[in-house]
Amino acid sequence: MLDFISTSEVLGKPAAADLKLGLATAPVLFASEMYPELEPLIMRRFSDKGDVELALSRVKSSDSIHKTLLLAQQFGKAAVESVKHLSEGLERTALESLVEDVLTRTK
């Protein structure tokens, strides 16, 4: 998700790096529900000229970032619930904090 909402300077890597590597992450997959023309791009791993730019454009003009955040929050909540059986202590707190860190990170 950060590839779509952050800058290269903040990330410390080129923006859209996953797309350039041919990886279709959740924002692109969600955007393809609204824009079926993304499906061939995904299948060819964004290898044709203009594929990365079109995918970026479609992600930004859809609600896929919001859907991705909701999905991450859903899995984060499940992760926190899965450690509730552990005794309260440093280990449990660290695992719960890790979820929060992942969900709120900016780079």
Side-chain angles (χ1 to χ4, degrees), residues 70-92:
L70 291 176
L71 181 65
Q73 289 170 338
Q74 178 183 357
F75 277 100
K77 183 177 179 181
V80 169
E81 283 300 314
S82 73
V83 300
K84 292 288 186 196
H85 72 282
L86 299 175
S87 300
E88 289 193 28
L90 186 60
E91 295 83 0
R92 179 174 151 180

Side-chain angles (χ1 to χ4, degrees), residues 14 54 58:
L54 180 58
R58 295 299 185 255

Side-chain angles (χ1 to χ4, degrees), residues 38 40-41 44-56:
L38 289 175
L41 283 66
R44 67 177 173 251
R45 301 175 57 102
F46 312 102
S47 61
D48 286 0
K49 184 175 181 168
D51 283 356
V52 169
E53 294 76 17
L54 180 58
L56 279 170

Side-chain angles (χ1 to χ4, degrees), residues 3-55:
D3 264 3
F4 302 98
I5 62 171
S6 196
T7 65
S8 298
E9 293 77 24
V10 171
L11 291 174
K13 67 174 187 171
D18 290 339
L19 289 174
K20 292 172 185 173
L21 290 171
L23 302 174
T25 56
V28 177
L29 297 175
F30 282 128
S32 72
E33 294 173 350
M34 182 181 281
Y35 298 105
E37 69 267 22
L38 289 175
E39 292 173 15
L41 283 66
I42 292 167
M43 295 304 293
R44 67 177 173 251
R45 301 175 57 102
F46 312 102
S47 61
D48 286 0
K49 184 175 181 168
D51 283 356
V52 169
E53 294 76 17
L54 180 58

